Amino acid sequence: MNAFDQLAFDHAPMGLALTENRVIRTCNDTFARMFGYEKDALIGESFRQLYGSDQEFHQIRDIGLEPLRQSLPYTDERLMRRSDGSMIWCRFRARTLTPEKPLERIVLSFALIENTSQGPKLTPREREVLLLLSKGLTSKEIGRSLKLSPRTIEDVRARLLKKFQVKNVAVLLARLSGRGVVRSQE
């Protein structure tokens, strides 16, 4: 890479990373700062450290594989964990360089939806449900995915609506897109 290419990569206005089998092989300074790390501390590390739990890390693996297999980019929004444990809401984009094995080598970009630390704290269960709600799943589908009853999921949804002082899930997701950061409650 020539000096100009490296300069553009390192100072791009969004976080950029190249992964191989979900291990970070390189990233730019913006990506490292976004997640609160020194760049060298991320190289060679699993993306696992940027997720709230092992379960989230494994559940998210298969989301978006189909478009990647078709050589299409994949985009979504998700909660990610910074080095200090705080959560940030990111817009995530991925393009595989190996469609036949989509996770083998991927170029990723991350952009903060908002860079504030305001907002309610969420439990790990609330984060799981919120993530699946953002994928458009129903309470019944979320319950099946998490091996919980739909009633339990409805209770978690009700808590989320109350915490964010909104009347429905559509408004909740819209507010999170605008607010950005949700702090973890451990």
Side-chain angles (χ1 to χ4, degrees):
M1 185 180 300
N2 72 35
F4 286 115
D5 292 341
Q6 188 67 48
L7 190 62
F9 176 77
D10 282 337
H11 298 285
M14 66 184 58
L16 300 173
L18 173 73
T19 64
E20 291 180 329
N21 298 310
R22 302 181 85 191
V23 172
I24 301 166
R25 293 300 176 203
T26 190
C27 65
N28 68 0
D29 296 333
T30 306
F31 180 88
R33 279 192 315 274
M34 181 183 301
F35 290 100
Y37 288 92
E38 292 295 323
K39 190 172 158 179
D40 291 342
L42 290 169
I43 307 301
E45 295 297 322
S46 169
F47 244 82
R48 163 58 190 98
Q49 69 190 36
L50 304 178
Y51 285 89
S53 70
D54 285 334
Q55 186 175 7
E56 283 179 39
F57 177 69
H58 294 296
Q59 283 176 336
I60 285 177
R61 179 190 61 223
D62 297 332
I63 297 173
L65 284 182
E66 197 49 43
L68 294 174
R69 283 189 185 106
Q70 297 172 26
S71 295
L72 299 170
Y74 175 70
T75 300
D76 75 19
E77 295 175 359
R78 60 180 58 158
L79 289 168
M80 303 292 291
R81 185 173 62 181
R82 291 177 39 84
S83 64
D84 65 5
S86 64
M87 301 300 287
I88 55 175
W89 196 255
C90 296
R91 182 165 294 109
F92 156 85
R93 291 186 172 100
R95 180 178 296 271
T96 186
L97 302 176
T98 54
E100 64 285 353
K101 294 181 182 175
L103 298 177
E104 192 169 282
R105 186 172 276 180
I106 296 180
V107 176
L108 307 155
S109 71
F110 287 84
L112 289 176
I113 293 174
E114 188 176 306
N115 194 19
T116 67
S117 60
Q118 303 304 308
K121 291 183 181 181
L122 297 181
T123 66
R125 175 70 70 212
E126 289 168 339
R127 281 196 320 264
E128 288 174 330
V129 170
L130 183 58
L131 176 70
L132 295 171
L133 284 171
S134 74
K135 303 292 174 218
L137 273 61
T138 65
S139 292
K140 192 179 227 180
E141 292 167 329
I142 294 170
R144 243 182 276 133
S145 175
L146 299 178
K147 297 180 177 38
L148 298 169
S149 75
R151 178 68 188 140
T152 299
I153 302 306
E154 286 297 325
D155 290 343
V156 174
R157 282 173 66 143
R159 276 198 322 264
L160 287 166
L161 297 178
K162 185 176 181 180
K163 278 185 177 186
F164 285 92
Q165 301 174 0
V166 295
K167 294 186 188 296
N168 60 53
V169 171
V171 175
L172 170 66
L173 295 174
R175 177 163 298 168
L176 287 173
S177 292
R179 175 168 286 156
V181 178
V182 180
R183 294 174 288 162
S184 177
Q185 176 181 309
E186 302 298 336

Short mmCIF file of all heavy atoms in Angstrom, two decimals, residues 88-140:
data_model
loop_
_atom_site.label_atom_id
_atom_site.label_comp_id
_atom_site.label_asym_id
_atom_site.label_seq_id
_atom_site.Cartn_x
_atom_site.Cartn_y
_atom_site.Cartn_z
N ILE A 88 -22.06 0.71 22.35
CA ILE A 88 -22.31 1.72 21.33
C ILE A 88 -23.19 1.12 20.25
O ILE A 88 -23.12 -0.07 19.97
CB ILE A 88 -21.00 2.29 20.72
CG1 ILE A 88 -20.11 1.17 20.17
CG2 ILE A 88 -20.26 3.13 21.75
CD1 ILE A 88 -18.86 1.66 19.46
N TRP A 89 -24.04 1.94 19.67
CA TRP A 89 -24.92 1.51 18.59
C TRP A 89 -24.24 1.89 17.29
O TRP A 89 -23.94 3.06 17.06
CB TRP A 89 -26.27 2.22 18.75
CG TRP A 89 -27.37 1.62 17.96
CD1 TRP A 89 -27.90 2.13 16.82
CD2 TRP A 89 -28.10 0.43 18.23
NE1 TRP A 89 -28.92 1.32 16.36
CE2 TRP A 89 -29.06 0.26 17.21
CE3 TRP A 89 -28.02 -0.53 19.24
CZ2 TRP A 89 -29.93 -0.81 17.18
CZ3 TRP A 89 -28.90 -1.60 19.20
CH2 TRP A 89 -29.84 -1.72 18.18
N CYS A 90 -23.95 0.90 16.45
CA CYS A 90 -23.18 1.11 15.22
C CYS A 90 -23.97 0.68 14.00
O CYS A 90 -24.74 -0.27 14.05
CB CYS A 90 -21.92 0.25 15.23
SG CYS A 90 -20.74 0.63 16.49
N ARG A 91 -23.70 1.36 12.91
CA ARG A 91 -24.13 0.90 11.60
C ARG A 91 -22.95 0.10 11.06
O ARG A 91 -21.81 0.58 11.02
CB ARG A 91 -24.46 2.07 10.68
CG ARG A 91 -24.96 1.61 9.32
CD ARG A 91 -25.63 2.74 8.54
NE ARG A 91 -26.87 3.13 9.23
CZ ARG A 91 -27.02 4.29 9.88
NH1 ARG A 91 -26.05 5.16 9.94
NH2 ARG A 91 -28.16 4.58 10.48
N PHE A 92 -23.23 -1.11 10.66
CA PHE A 92 -22.21 -2.07 10.28
C PHE A 92 -22.43 -2.46 8.83
O PHE A 92 -23.56 -2.70 8.42
CB PHE A 92 -22.38 -3.26 11.23
CG PHE A 92 -21.86 -4.57 10.73
CD1 PHE A 92 -20.55 -4.90 10.90
CD2 PHE A 92 -22.72 -5.48 10.13
CE1 PHE A 92 -20.07 -6.13 10.47
CE2 PHE A 92 -22.26 -6.70 9.70
CZ PHE A 92 -20.93 -7.02 9.87
N ARG A 93 -21.36 -2.50 8.05
CA ARG A 93 -21.45 -2.95 6.65
C ARG A 93 -20.34 -3.96 6.42
O ARG A 93 -19.23 -3.80 6.93
CB ARG A 93 -21.30 -1.76 5.69
CG ARG A 93 -22.48 -0.83 5.75
CD ARG A 93 -22.39 0.26 4.69
NE ARG A 93 -23.63 1.02 4.65
CZ ARG A 93 -23.79 2.20 5.24
NH1 ARG A 93 -22.81 2.76 5.88
NH2 ARG A 93 -24.95 2.81 5.15
N ALA A 94 -20.66 -4.98 5.61
CA ALA A 94 -19.68 -6.03 5.34
C ALA A 94 -19.72 -6.42 3.87
O ALA A 94 -20.78 -6.43 3.26
CB ALA A 94 -19.97 -7.25 6.21
N ARG A 95 -18.56 -6.75 3.36
CA ARG A 95 -18.45 -7.32 2.01
C ARG A 95 -17.37 -8.41 2.10
O ARG A 95 -16.27 -8.16 2.56
CB ARG A 95 -18.04 -6.27 0.99
CG ARG A 95 -17.92 -6.88 -0.42
CD ARG A 95 -17.56 -5.88 -1.47
NE ARG A 95 -18.57 -4.86 -1.66
CZ ARG A 95 -19.62 -4.96 -2.51
NH1 ARG A 95 -19.79 -6.04 -3.20
NH2 ARG A 95 -20.46 -3.97 -2.63
N THR A 96 -17.76 -9.59 1.65
CA THR A 96 -16.80 -10.69 1.68
C THR A 96 -15.93 -10.68 0.43
O THR A 96 -16.37 -10.27 -0.65
CB THR A 96 -17.51 -12.05 1.82
OG1 THR A 96 -16.50 -13.08 1.98
CG2 THR A 96 -18.38 -12.38 0.62
N LEU A 97 -14.71 -11.13 0.60
CA LEU A 97 -13.80 -11.30 -0.53
C LEU A 97 -13.79 -12.75 -0.98
O LEU A 97 -13.15 -13.09 -1.97
CB LEU A 97 -12.39 -10.84 -0.14
CG LEU A 97 -12.29 -9.39 0.33
CD1 LEU A 97 -10.87 -9.07 0.77
CD2 LEU A 97 -12.76 -8.43 -0.75
N THR A 98 -14.52 -13.60 -0.22
CA THR A 98 -14.56 -15.04 -0.49
C THR A 98 -16.02 -15.52 -0.40
O THR A 98 -16.40 -16.14 0.60
CB THR A 98 -13.68 -15.80 0.52
OG1 THR A 98 -14.09 -15.43 1.85
CG2 THR A 98 -12.21 -15.48 0.35
N PRO A 99 -16.85 -15.25 -1.42
CA PRO A 99 -18.27 -15.59 -1.34
C PRO A 99 -18.54 -17.07 -1.05
O PRO A 99 -19.53 -17.40 -0.40
CB PRO A 99 -18.82 -15.21 -2.71
CG PRO A 99 -17.83 -14.26 -3.29
CD PRO A 99 -16.51 -14.59 -2.67
N GLU A 100 -17.68 -17.95 -1.52
CA GLU A 100 -17.89 -19.37 -1.29
C GLU A 100 -17.74 -19.74 0.20
O GLU A 100 -18.31 -20.70 0.68
CB GLU A 100 -16.95 -20.23 -2.16
CG GLU A 100 -15.47 -20.06 -1.87
CD GLU A 100 -14.84 -18.76 -2.39
OE1 GLU A 100 -15.49 -17.98 -3.11
OE2 GLU A 100 -13.66 -18.53 -2.05
N LYS A 101 -16.97 -18.95 0.94
CA LYS A 101 -16.80 -19.09 2.39
C LYS A 101 -16.85 -17.68 2.97
O LYS A 101 -15.81 -17.07 3.24
CB LYS A 101 -15.46 -19.75 2.71
CG LYS A 101 -15.34 -21.18 2.26
CD LYS A 101 -13.98 -21.74 2.65
CE LYS A 101 -13.85 -23.16 2.16
NZ LYS A 101 -12.50 -23.68 2.43
N PRO A 102 -18.06 -17.15 3.17
CA PRO A 102 -18.22 -15.73 3.46
C PRO A 102 -17.42 -15.19 4.65
O PRO A 102 -17.00 -14.04 4.62
CB PRO A 102 -19.72 -15.59 3.72
CG PRO A 102 -20.35 -16.74 3.04
CD PRO A 102 -19.33 -17.84 3.09
N LEU A 103 -17.20 -15.98 5.67
CA LEU A 103 -16.50 -15.47 6.85
C LEU A 103 -14.98 -15.56 6.73
O LEU A 103 -14.25 -15.05 7.58
CB LEU A 103 -16.96 -16.21 8.11
CG LEU A 103 -18.44 -16.05 8.45
CD1 LEU A 103 -18.80 -16.90 9.67
CD2 LEU A 103 -18.80 -14.60 8.69
N GLU A 104 -14.51 -16.19 5.68
CA GLU A 104 -13.07 -16.40 5.54
C GLU A 104 -12.30 -15.08 5.46
O GLU A 104 -11.26 -14.92 6.08
CB GLU A 104 -12.78 -17.27 4.32
CG GLU A 104 -11.36 -17.76 4.28
CD GLU A 104 -11.18 -18.83 3.22
OE1 GLU A 104 -11.57 -19.99 3.48
OE2 GLU A 104 -10.65 -18.48 2.14
N ARG A 105 -12.82 -14.13 4.68
CA ARG A 105 -12.14 -12.83 4.56
C ARG A 105 -13.20 -11.77 4.25
O ARG A 105 -13.82 -11.81 3.21
CB ARG A 105 -11.08 -12.85 3.48
CG ARG A 105 -10.28 -11.55 3.45
CD ARG A 105 -9.12 -11.62 2.52
NE ARG A 105 -8.01 -12.25 3.25
CZ ARG A 105 -6.83 -12.47 2.72
NH1 ARG A 105 -6.58 -12.12 1.48
NH2 ARG A 105 -5.88 -13.01 3.43
N ILE A 106 -13.36 -10.83 5.18
CA ILE A 106 -14.40 -9.80 5.05
C ILE A 106 -13.81 -8.42 5.30
O ILE A 106 -13.00 -8.24 6.21
CB ILE A 106 -15.55 -10.05 6.07
CG1 ILE A 106 -16.25 -11.37 5.76
CG2 ILE A 106 -16.55 -8.91 6.07
CD1 ILE A 106 -17.40 -11.68 6.70
N VAL A 107 -14.26 -7.47 4.51
CA VAL A 107 -13.96 -6.06 4.74
C VAL A 107 -15.18 -5.47 5.44
O VAL A 107 -16.32 -5.66 4.98
CB VAL A 107 -13.69 -5.30 3.43
CG1 VAL A 107 -13.47 -3.82 3.69
CG2 VAL A 107 -12.50 -5.91 2.70
N LEU A 108 -14.97 -4.79 6.55
CA LEU A 108 -16.05 -4.26 7.38
C LEU A 108 -15.89 -2.77 7.57
O LEU A 108 -14.77 -2.26 7.65
CB LEU A 108 -15.99 -4.91 8.77
CG LEU A 108 -15.98 -6.42 8.82
CD1 LEU A 108 -15.33 -6.90 10.10
CD2 LEU A 108 -17.38 -6.93 8.71
N SER A 109 -17.03 -2.09 7.68
CA SER A 109 -17.00 -0.69 8.09
C SER A 109 -17.99 -0.51 9.24
O SER A 109 -19.02 -1.17 9.28
CB SER A 109 -17.33 0.25 6.93
OG SER A 109 -18.69 0.16 6.59
N PHE A 110 -17.65 0.37 10.16
CA PHE A 110 -18.50 0.68 11.31
C PHE A 110 -18.60 2.19 11.43
O PHE A 110 -17.59 2.88 11.36
CB PHE A 110 -17.89 0.12 12.60
CG PHE A 110 -17.99 -1.36 12.72
CD1 PHE A 110 -17.06 -2.19 12.13
CD2 PHE A 110 -19.03 -1.93 13.43
CE1 PHE A 110 -17.15 -3.56 12.23
CE2 PHE A 110 -19.13 -3.30 13.55
CZ PHE A 110 -18.19 -4.13 12.95
N ALA A 111 -19.81 2.66 11.65
CA ALA A 111 -20.04 4.09 11.90
C ALA A 111 -20.93 4.20 13.12
O ALA A 111 -21.94 3.49 13.23
CB ALA A 111 -20.70 4.75 10.70
N LEU A 112 -20.55 5.07 14.04
CA LEU A 112 -21.40 5.32 15.20
C LEU A 112 -22.69 5.95 14.72
O LEU A 112 -22.67 6.85 13.88
CB LEU A 112 -20.72 6.26 16.18
CG LEU A 112 -19.54 5.71 16.96
CD1 LEU A 112 -18.92 6.81 17.81
CD2 LEU A 112 -19.97 4.55 17.83
N ILE A 113 -23.79 5.49 15.27
CA ILE A 113 -25.06 6.13 14.94
C ILE A 113 -25.16 7.43 15.72
O ILE A 113 -25.63 8.42 15.23
CB ILE A 113 -26.24 5.18 15.20
CG1 ILE A 113 -26.14 4.04 14.20
CG2 ILE A 113 -27.56 5.91 15.08
CD1 ILE A 113 -27.13 2.95 14.41
N GLU A 114 -24.65 7.43 16.94
CA GLU A 114 -24.51 8.66 17.71
C GLU A 114 -23.44 8.42 18.75
O GLU A 114 -23.26 7.32 19.22
CB GLU A 114 -25.82 9.07 18.39
CG GLU A 114 -25.71 10.45 19.03
CD GLU A 114 -27.03 10.90 19.61
OE1 GLU A 114 -28.02 10.92 18.90
OE2 GLU A 114 -27.03 11.24 20.80
N ASN A 115 -22.76 9.46 19.12
CA ASN A 115 -21.60 9.32 20.00
C ASN A 115 -21.85 9.93 21.38
O ASN A 115 -21.02 10.62 21.92
CB ASN A 115 -20.39 9.99 19.34
CG ASN A 115 -19.11 9.61 20.01
OD1 ASN A 115 -19.04 8.63 20.72
ND2 ASN A 115 -18.08 10.41 19.78
N THR A 116 -23.01 9.65 21.96
CA THR A 116 -23.27 10.13 23.32
C THR A 116 -23.37 8.93 24.24
O THR A 116 -23.58 7.81 23.80
CB THR A 116 -24.58 10.93 23.41
OG1 THR A 116 -25.66 10.03 23.18
CG2 THR A 116 -24.63 12.07 22.43
N SER A 117 -23.27 9.16 25.52
CA SER A 117 -23.39 8.05 26.46
C SER A 117 -24.67 8.16 27.28
O SER A 117 -24.74 7.65 28.37
CB SER A 117 -22.16 8.02 27.38
OG SER A 117 -22.09 9.22 28.10
N GLN A 118 -25.66 8.84 26.73
CA GLN A 118 -26.93 8.97 27.42
C GLN A 118 -27.82 7.78 27.09
O GLN A 118 -27.68 7.16 26.07
CB GLN A 118 -27.63 10.27 27.01
CG GLN A 118 -26.80 11.50 27.26
CD GLN A 118 -26.35 11.63 28.71
OE1 GLN A 118 -27.19 11.55 29.59
NE2 GLN A 118 -25.08 11.78 28.93
N GLY A 119 -28.77 7.53 27.97
CA GLY A 119 -29.75 6.48 27.71
C GLY A 119 -29.77 5.46 28.82
O GLY A 119 -28.84 5.35 29.61
N PRO A 120 -30.85 4.70 28.89
CA PRO A 120 -31.00 3.69 29.93
C PRO A 120 -29.96 2.60 29.83
O PRO A 120 -29.46 2.29 28.75
CB PRO A 120 -32.39 3.12 29.67
CG PRO A 120 -33.07 4.11 28.79
CD PRO A 120 -31.99 4.80 28.02
N LYS A 121 -29.68 2.00 30.96
CA LYS A 121 -28.81 0.83 30.99
C LYS A 121 -29.65 -0.39 30.68
O LYS A 121 -30.80 -0.48 31.09
CB LYS A 121 -28.17 0.68 32.36
CG LYS A 121 -27.16 1.75 32.68
CD LYS A 121 -26.53 1.50 34.01
CE LYS A 121 -25.53 2.58 34.34
NZ LYS A 121 -24.87 2.35 35.61
N LEU A 122 -29.08 -1.33 29.95
CA LEU A 122 -29.79 -2.55 29.58
C LEU A 122 -29.14 -3.77 30.21
O LEU A 122 -27.91 -3.85 30.29
CB LEU A 122 -29.80 -2.73 28.06
CG LEU A 122 -30.51 -1.67 27.25
CD1 LEU A 122 -30.45 -2.04 25.77
CD2 LEU A 122 -31.93 -1.49 27.69
N THR A 123 -29.97 -4.73 30.60
CA THR A 123 -29.47 -6.01 31.07
C THR A 123 -29.02 -6.83 29.86
O THR A 123 -29.43 -6.53 28.72
CB THR A 123 -30.57 -6.79 31.82
OG1 THR A 123 -31.60 -7.12 30.88
CG2 THR A 123 -31.14 -5.99 32.99
N PRO A 124 -28.23 -7.86 30.07
CA PRO A 124 -27.86 -8.72 28.93
C PRO A 124 -29.09 -9.28 28.20
O PRO A 124 -29.11 -9.34 26.98
CB PRO A 124 -27.03 -9.83 29.57
CG PRO A 124 -26.41 -9.15 30.77
CD PRO A 124 -27.49 -8.23 31.28
N ARG A 125 -30.14 -9.68 28.93
CA ARG A 125 -31.35 -10.22 28.30
C ARG A 125 -32.04 -9.14 27.46
O ARG A 125 -32.49 -9.39 26.35
CB ARG A 125 -32.31 -10.76 29.36
CG ARG A 125 -33.64 -11.23 28.81
CD ARG A 125 -33.53 -12.50 27.99
NE ARG A 125 -33.23 -13.60 28.87
CZ ARG A 125 -32.51 -14.65 28.53
NH1 ARG A 125 -32.02 -14.77 27.33
NH2 ARG A 125 -32.25 -15.61 29.39
N GLU A 126 -32.11 -7.91 27.98
CA GLU A 126 -32.71 -6.82 27.22
C GLU A 126 -31.93 -6.56 25.94
O GLU A 126 -32.51 -6.30 24.89
CB GLU A 126 -32.81 -5.56 28.07
CG GLU A 126 -33.86 -5.67 29.16
CD GLU A 126 -33.79 -4.56 30.20
OE1 GLU A 126 -32.72 -3.93 30.35
OE2 GLU A 126 -34.80 -4.34 30.89
N ARG A 127 -30.61 -6.63 26.01
CA ARG A 127 -29.78 -6.44 24.81
C ARG A 127 -30.08 -7.53 23.78
O ARG A 127 -30.20 -7.26 22.59
CB ARG A 127 -28.29 -6.46 25.16
CG ARG A 127 -27.78 -5.17 25.74
CD ARG A 127 -26.27 -5.07 25.71
NE ARG A 127 -25.55 -6.27 26.02
CZ ARG A 127 -25.06 -6.59 27.21
NH1 ARG A 127 -25.22 -5.79 28.22
NH2 ARG A 127 -24.39 -7.71 27.39
N GLU A 128 -30.19 -8.79 24.24
CA GLU A 128 -30.48 -9.89 23.33
C GLU A 128 -31.82 -9.67 22.62
O GLU A 128 -31.92 -9.81 21.40
CB GLU A 128 -30.57 -11.22 24.09
CG GLU A 128 -29.27 -11.77 24.58
CD GLU A 128 -29.46 -13.00 25.44
OE1 GLU A 128 -30.49 -13.14 26.12
OE2 GLU A 128 -28.54 -13.83 25.43
N VAL A 129 -32.84 -9.33 23.41
CA VAL A 129 -34.17 -9.13 22.85
C VAL A 129 -34.17 -7.93 21.90
O VAL A 129 -34.71 -7.99 20.80
CB VAL A 129 -35.23 -8.98 23.96
CG1 VAL A 129 -36.57 -8.52 23.39
CG2 VAL A 129 -35.39 -10.30 24.72
N LEU A 130 -33.51 -6.86 22.29
CA LEU A 130 -33.44 -5.66 21.44
C LEU A 130 -32.76 -5.99 20.11
O LEU A 130 -33.22 -5.56 19.05
CB LEU A 130 -32.69 -4.55 22.17
CG LEU A 130 -32.58 -3.22 21.45
CD1 LEU A 130 -33.95 -2.66 21.12
CD2 LEU A 130 -31.82 -2.24 22.32
N LEU A 131 -31.68 -6.74 20.16
CA LEU A 131 -30.97 -7.12 18.95
C LEU A 131 -31.90 -7.89 18.01
O LEU A 131 -31.96 -7.61 16.81
CB LEU A 131 -29.76 -7.98 19.30
CG LEU A 131 -28.97 -8.53 18.13
CD1 LEU A 131 -28.24 -7.41 17.41
CD2 LEU A 131 -27.98 -9.57 18.60
N LEU A 132 -32.66 -8.84 18.56
CA LEU A 132 -33.55 -9.64 17.72
C LEU A 132 -34.77 -8.84 17.26
O LEU A 132 -35.26 -9.04 16.16
CB LEU A 132 -33.95 -10.92 18.47
CG LEU A 132 -32.75 -11.85 18.73
CD1 LEU A 132 -33.15 -13.00 19.65
CD2 LEU A 132 -32.15 -12.37 17.44
N LEU A 133 -35.24 -7.91 18.09
CA LEU A 133 -36.32 -7.02 17.66
C LEU A 133 -35.85 -6.18 16.47
O LEU A 133 -36.61 -5.94 15.52
CB LEU A 133 -36.75 -6.09 18.80
CG LEU A 133 -37.61 -6.69 19.89
CD1 LEU A 133 -37.77 -5.69 21.05
CD2 LEU A 133 -38.97 -7.10 19.35
N SER A 134 -34.60 -5.74 16.52
CA SER A 134 -34.08 -4.92 15.43
C SER A 134 -33.97 -5.70 14.13
O SER A 134 -33.89 -5.13 13.06
CB SER A 134 -32.73 -4.30 15.81
OG SER A 134 -31.71 -5.27 15.79
N LYS A 135 -33.99 -7.03 14.22
CA LYS A 135 -33.97 -7.89 13.03
C LYS A 135 -35.38 -8.16 12.52
O LYS A 135 -35.56 -8.89 11.56
CB LYS A 135 -33.29 -9.23 13.34
CG LYS A 135 -31.90 -9.10 13.86
CD LYS A 135 -30.99 -8.58 12.79
CE LYS A 135 -29.63 -8.33 13.37
NZ LYS A 135 -29.00 -7.15 12.83
N GLY A 136 -36.40 -7.62 13.23
CA GLY A 136 -37.78 -7.79 12.80
C GLY A 136 -38.45 -9.05 13.31
O GLY A 136 -39.54 -9.40 12.84
N LEU A 137 -37.85 -9.75 14.28
CA LEU A 137 -38.44 -10.97 14.80
C LEU A 137 -39.61 -10.67 15.72
O LEU A 137 -39.61 -9.65 16.42
CB LEU A 137 -37.40 -11.80 15.56
CG LEU A 137 -36.56 -12.76 14.73
CD1 LEU A 137 -35.74 -12.05 13.68
CD2 LEU A 137 -35.67 -13.59 15.63
N THR A 138 -40.58 -11.56 15.74
CA THR A 138 -41.72 -11.46 16.64
C THR A 138 -41.33 -12.01 18.01
O THR A 138 -40.30 -12.68 18.15
CB THR A 138 -42.91 -12.27 16.11
OG1 THR A 138 -42.56 -13.66 16.13
CG2 THR A 138 -43.31 -11.83 14.71
N SER A 139 -42.18 -11.77 19.01
CA SER A 139 -41.92 -12.30 20.35
C SER A 139 -41.83 -13.83 20.32
O SER A 139 -41.00 -14.43 21.00
CB SER A 139 -43.01 -11.87 21.33
OG SER A 139 -42.93 -10.48 21.55
N LYS A 140 -42.68 -14.44 19.53
CA LYS A 140 -42.67 -15.90 19.42
C LYS A 140 -41.34 -16.38 18.82
O LYS A 140 -40.73 -17.33 19.31
CB LYS A 140 -43.85 -16.36 18.56
CG LYS A 140 -44.11 -17.83 18.59
CD LYS A 140 -45.31 -18.15 17.71
CE LYS A 140 -46.24 -19.06 18.48
NZ LYS A 140 -47.42 -19.42 17.70
#
